[in-house]
Amino acid sequence: MSTENTSSPSDKGPTGFITDGQNTLVVEDGHIYKDGQAVGFLFEDGYIKNNNQPLGKQNKLSLIENISPWQFRGIDCQGLEIVLPDEHPGPSGKLEYNAKIYNVINGRVVTEDHKYVGQITDSGEIFVRDKNGEGGKVKVEGTTLLNFTFEGISSTGANCQHQFRRPLYKIDRTYIDNEIIRYFDGFDALNNLQKKYVLETMALWSSCGLLQIVRKSEGDASLGNVKHGVTGVTRVRTGKVSLDKEEFEREVNYYKQHGAMMIVPKNIVDYLEVRLNLVLAHEFGHQVDFVLTSAVQEQVAELYEKKRKSCDKLHPLPDENESPSELLMRQQIEKRHFISGYAKSSAYEYWAESLAAFSIKTTRDHLREFDPVMYDILTNLVLAPTKVLSRVFHENITSLQASLKLGGEFLTGGL
Ligand SMILES: [Zn+2]
C-alpha cells in the first residue's frame, strides 16, 4: 500500500528568497546562500539548520520566527507556495487528525520529519496543502472533515481547543470501514465471512472518497429479493442498490474458494466463461456510471462497441449458439476481449465489470493487461477524479481526498 504524500520529502527543502529587511538570501532546495556561500538549510516547516554565519556555528534547529525579521517566500518541490512566517499566524500545539499526530507551529501543521502538510486557524478551520486547491490549499469542512482534536495556544496566547466528531461514526473503526458500513445497509447482520467480503471488495472506493460521494448522490446498498441485472441493463437510475440475497451469498462463497475471478464451463461443449465474484463492487459501478461526465460515458460506449465487434469476429460461437457473454475455448482465454464474459452483454455491464475488476489487486492487474484504456480511466477515477467526474462533484471530492491524505486513509494499493 502506498499513500500519496501531501508534501515534499523532508530532505529537499523549498526554493525562493529570504529577506532580512536589508539583504536577500537565495534558497535552493532548502540550501540557504549568502553571497554565493552556503549558510544553512531551511525546511519547509520553518525550521532552519544553521551551519555557518549569520546564524552561529552550532548545528541546531531554529524556527524562522525566532530569527527576526527573516521572511521566506518561495515554493516547495511540488510548486506550492510557501510564506514563512505565515502572514496570518495561527495557533501552536498538537493536532490529532484521524488518529494521526501532527505538530502545529503558528498555524502550520507539520510532521516530525519537517513536512508542511496543512494549516489550522485560531478558530479551528483546517486547510490541507494540495496542488488541486486554489492557491495550493484546500479547505476541509463539513462532511469532508475527519475526527480531530486540537490542543494548544492561539496566536494571541490564549488556550485553544477544537474537536470534531463525524456523526454516526464508530470510533474503533477506520474511515474506510465506517463508510463501507454506512453504505451497506444491514452490515451488522452479515456473518463474518460476508463482512470481510464487503470490506475487502469496497476498500479502494472508500479510501479514495468516491464511496462517500456516490452514497450521498445515488444511494446505498442492501440485500433484498431482486435478481441481478435489474439496475444495469437499461441504465435506469435506481439510486439504491438492491442485491439478491441468495446471489450475494453465492458470490461470497465463490470469492472465498476461488478469489475475485474464476473460469466456469458453459453449456456449449468446450466453452468457458471468465467470471468475477465481485457483485457488490459491480453494482456500485452502476451507481458510479451516473456521476461520470458524458465524455467519459461516451468513451466507454465506444470502447465497448469496438471490443464487441472484434469479439464477434475473432471469437464466434459454434453455429446456432448465442450468448450475450464472451464465451471462449480454453486456449482463447489469454486473448480475450473483456475482463469477464458478462462484460460483453452491454456497455453498462462492461463499465460495471471493469470497475469491479479494478477493486481488487489481482483482477486489477488483469484489467491493465486486457484493457489498458479502461484501466487508465479507472486510475483517474481514484487518483485524478476531477478528470472523470461531473463538475458538480469536483469541490467535494477534492476536499475529501485532501482530508483523507491528511488522515492517512487515502490508500491506493500501489496504483
Ligand atoms: Zn450489472
Side-chain angles (χ1 to χ4, degrees):
M1 298 295 251
S2 75
T3 55
E4 192 179 308
N5 287 326
T6 49
S7 180
S8 57
S10 56
D11 55 351
K12 212 178 161 205
T15 293
F17 298 96
I18 290 171
T19 55
D20 63 5
Q22 294 174 326
N23 303 301
T24 298
L25 290 77
V26 176
V27 181
E28 270 179 37
D29 295 334
H31 298 281
I32 307 168
Y33 298 96
K34 192 182 184 191
D35 304 327
Q37 207 189 341
V39 295
F41 189 90
L42 172 70
F43 293 100
E44 63 182 37
D45 64 354
Y47 275 105
I48 291 172
K49 193 163 76 179
N50 47 307
N51 48 23
N52 208 326
Q53 298 293 333
L55 301 165
K57 288 208 163 72
Q58 69 274 48
N59 206 17
K60 66 165 192 183
L61 292 175
S62 316
L63 264 180
I64 191 164
E65 277 90 345
N66 299 332
I67 315 177
S68 180
W70 275 30
Q71 201 195 35
F72 171 80
R73 266 180 189 280
I75 51 167
D76 68 13
C77 69
Q78 287 191 99
L80 298 182
E81 191 187 32
I82 293 188
V83 178
L84 298 167
D86 195 274
E87 284 149 324
H88 309 284
S92 295
K94 284 253 181 273
L95 173 68
E96 187 180 330
Y97 194 81
N98 191 48
K100 277 194 75 143
I101 310 287
Y102 292 102
N103 289 319
V104 179
I105 309 165
N106 298 319
R108 298 194 294 279
V109 177
V110 305
T111 64
E112 284 293 318
D113 56 348
H114 301 292
K115 288 174 192 160
Y116 179 14
V117 295
Q119 288 164 325
I120 182 166
T121 64
D122 282 333
S123 57
E125 293 175 310
I126 292 182
F127 296 86
V128 178
R129 290 171 55 76
D130 187 315
K131 62 182 185 307
N132 299 316
E134 217 176 290
K137 62 183 182 180
V138 171
K139 189 173 182 185
V140 179
E141 59 185 336
T143 58
T144 67
L145 266 179
L146 300 187
N147 291 345
F148 80 86
T149 306
F150 173 79
E151 279 183 46
I153 49 165
S154 74
S155 60
T156 56
N159 265 342
C160 184
Q161 293 193 347
H162 296 286
Q163 193 177 56
F164 173 78
R165 292 286 173 260
R166 286 176 77 83
L168 305 174
Y169 198 93
K170 296 184 187 195
I171 198 76
D172 58 330
R173 293 266 196 175
T174 61
Y175 166 89
I176 293 176
D177 285 2
N178 264 290
E179 263 309 309
I180 297 170
I181 292 166
R182 296 253 344 239
Y183 176 71
F184 198 101
D185 189 14
F187 180 88
D188 290 337
L190 299 177
N191 68 35
N192 283 343
L193 187 64
Q194 293 166 336
K195 283 179 181 167
K196 184 170 175 280
Y197 174 85
V198 169
L199 293 174
E200 228 170 83
T201 61
M202 294 303 288
L204 175 68
W205 306 113
S206 183
S207 80
C208 71
L210 194 67
L211 185 65
Q212 181 181 325
I213 301 281
V214 168
R215 174 174 61 80
K216 287 184 190 252
S217 166
E218 302 298 316
D220 57 12
S222 60
L223 294 180
N225 263 323
V226 230
K227 287 288 165 222
H228 170 184
V230 176
T231 38
V233 180
T234 55
R235 201 186 228 156
V236 172
R237 197 174 194 138
T238 55
K240 272 178 76 86
V241 162
S242 292
L243 298 167
D244 186 70
K245 194 164 182 292
E246 277 173 34
E247 188 190 356
F248 176 75
E249 284 165 0
R250 203 165 54 236
E251 294 266 327
V252 173
N253 285 321
Y254 285 155
Y255 182 83
K256 187 194 172 209
Q257 284 169 34
H258 306 279
M261 196 186 90
M262 65 188 191
I263 299 169
V264 293
K266 296 310 281 187
N267 48 10
I268 309 171
V269 179
D270 290 338
Y271 275 79
L272 303 164
E273 179 174 351
V274 177
R275 187 188 198 287
L276 296 179
N277 303 319
L278 297 166
V279 67
L280 182 56
H282 173 103
E283 296 304 333
F284 174 67
H286 287 309
Q287 290 179 307
V288 175
D289 197 349
F290 292 102
V291 300
L292 300 174
T293 63
S294 50
V296 172
Q297 290 171 339
E298 280 159 28
Q299 190 189 2
V300 171
E302 278 169 31
L303 277 171
Y304 169 76
E305 277 309 319
K306 244 199 237 164
K307 281 182 176 287
R308 193 185 53 81
K309 280 184 190 144
S310 172
C311 181
D312 285 343
K313 201 165 131 196
L314 296 177
H315 298 143
L317 293 176
D319 284 348
E320 291 174 24
N321 285 287
E322 272 184 39
S323 165
S325 295
E326 183 177 35
L327 304 185
L328 302 155
M329 312 273 280
R330 170 76 59 189
Q331 68 274 15
Q332 296 170 329
I333 298 269
E334 291 309 312
K335 289 210 164 77
R336 66 186 188 270
H337 293 81
F338 293 94
I339 186 66
S340 71
Y342 187 57
K344 192 191 169 192
S345 49
S346 76
Y348 313 126
E349 300 309 332
Y350 166 58
W351 166 257
E353 283 290 89
S354 301
L355 185 140
F358 197 81
S359 310
I360 296 286
K361 177 85 173 81
T362 50
T363 39
R364 183 158 69 237
D365 290 345
H366 282 287
L367 188 70
R368 175 162 43 197
E369 189 184 330
F370 289 108
D371 200 344
V373 180
M374 180 60 99
Y375 180 89
D376 287 346
I377 295 172
L378 288 158
T379 302
N380 279 339
L381 190 59
V382 175
L383 297 183
T386 55
K387 287 184 182 167
V388 293
L389 295 188
S390 298
R391 181 68 193 85
V392 63
F393 302 106
H394 287 194
E395 200 182 328
N396 231 342
I397 191 76
T398 299
S399 173
L400 184 53
Q401 289 202 335
S403 177
L404 294 170
K405 287 171 192 171
L406 188 66
E409 298 264 348
F410 193 84
L411 306 171
T412 58
L415 274 182

